[in-house]
Amino acid sequence: MVNDDGTAKAEGAAAAATGKAVATGRATATGGSKKGRPRGRPRSFDRETALEKALLAFWEHGYEATSVSDLTRVMDIGAPSLYAAFGDKRSLFEEVVHVYGTRYGSFTDRALAEEPTAWSAVERTLREAATAYTEPGHPHGCLVVHAAANCSTPEVEQSLRDRRNANIAAFESRIRADVAAGVLPPDTDSAALARHTGAMIQGMSQQARDGASREELEAVAEIAMSIWPRTGTHTG
């Protein structure tokens, strides 16, 4: 054994350093790791609000021109949250179209259900379209008409086409019923008259996008109704 005070002091210093390292490791394992841990729950979102924002984006820009990054930006959510809540872009759009039909585009269904004749149902539809397509606070025109513009997704394009054609078929059914009831002349071309109505609705939608006012579209609707054949009473 060497009686060297310097050596003893070095050994003591090494032991002290070892103890400090152990203590530091314990602190890191307990308190230090808290800095890297996320605090609280992940930020949630209001699903209905996010869906409405997606609806407005699709309505304004169409299906094809609205990217997933556009949607996450306007909805204020990340892509994983969008996929988790709504599925892919196409699934989100299908839900948007359903909400649009209920919230903004139901005036046609109401008119057909509540009006006594085809003439009054179409007249009301065109008049209410003039209002709905030019209302402030949301894009002008009809989402179902404009969302398919330049669309390269056949399933989406076909789905929107089916919706538009379903409206024309509903008008034709009401017109045929009025012909059978004697409200309209027996030689009325029900299919052509229904398609004329569809053309007016779609044209008014585009005119609204181009800046036409409600009053201007109401004038167009009035002219459109003036060409209807007359037998008996239109208003029932």
Side-chain angles (χ1 to χ4, degrees), residues 107-212:
F107 56 86
T108 297
D109 291 339
R110 289 197 305 269
L112 287 167
E114 297 171 5
E115 294 299 322
T117 66
W119 187 94
S120 58
V122 170
E123 189 275 338
R124 174 176 165 182
T125 295
L126 295 182
R127 179 165 36 83
E128 293 190 6
T131 299
Y133 293 167
T134 58
E135 276 183 336
H138 58 67
H140 286 178
C142 173
L143 180 147
V144 175
V145 172
H146 295 288
N150 301 316
C151 181
S152 62
T153 306
E155 296 83 0
V156 171
E157 188 176 20
Q158 185 62 50
S159 175
L160 295 175
R161 184 184 299 115
D162 289 345
R163 285 178 174 270
R164 295 191 297 270
N165 286 336
N167 280 340
I168 293 174
F171 288 128
E172 182 177 349
S173 178
R174 288 298 303 276
I175 293 167
R176 290 187 183 279
D178 278 7
V179 171
V183 177
L184 291 171
D187 61 346
T188 298
D189 189 336
S190 301
L193 195 54
R195 193 157 294 281
H196 171 266
T197 300
M200 293 307 305
I201 292 171
Q202 293 172 31
M204 289 170 66
S205 177
Q206 182 59 56
Q207 287 289 304
R209 297 278 289 195
D210 290 343

Side-chain angles (χ1 to χ4, degrees), residues 58 61-67 89-90 93 146-149 151 153 156:
F58 281 126
H61 303 292
Y63 178 80
E64 197 69 29
T66 306
S67 66
K89 175 183 169 181
R90 181 179 162 191
F93 182 71
H146 295 288
C151 181
T153 306
V156 171

Side-chain angles (χ1 to χ4, degrees), residues 23 28 43 73 122 160:
T28 302
R43 181 166 59 90
R73 176 176 51 80
V122 170
L160 295 175

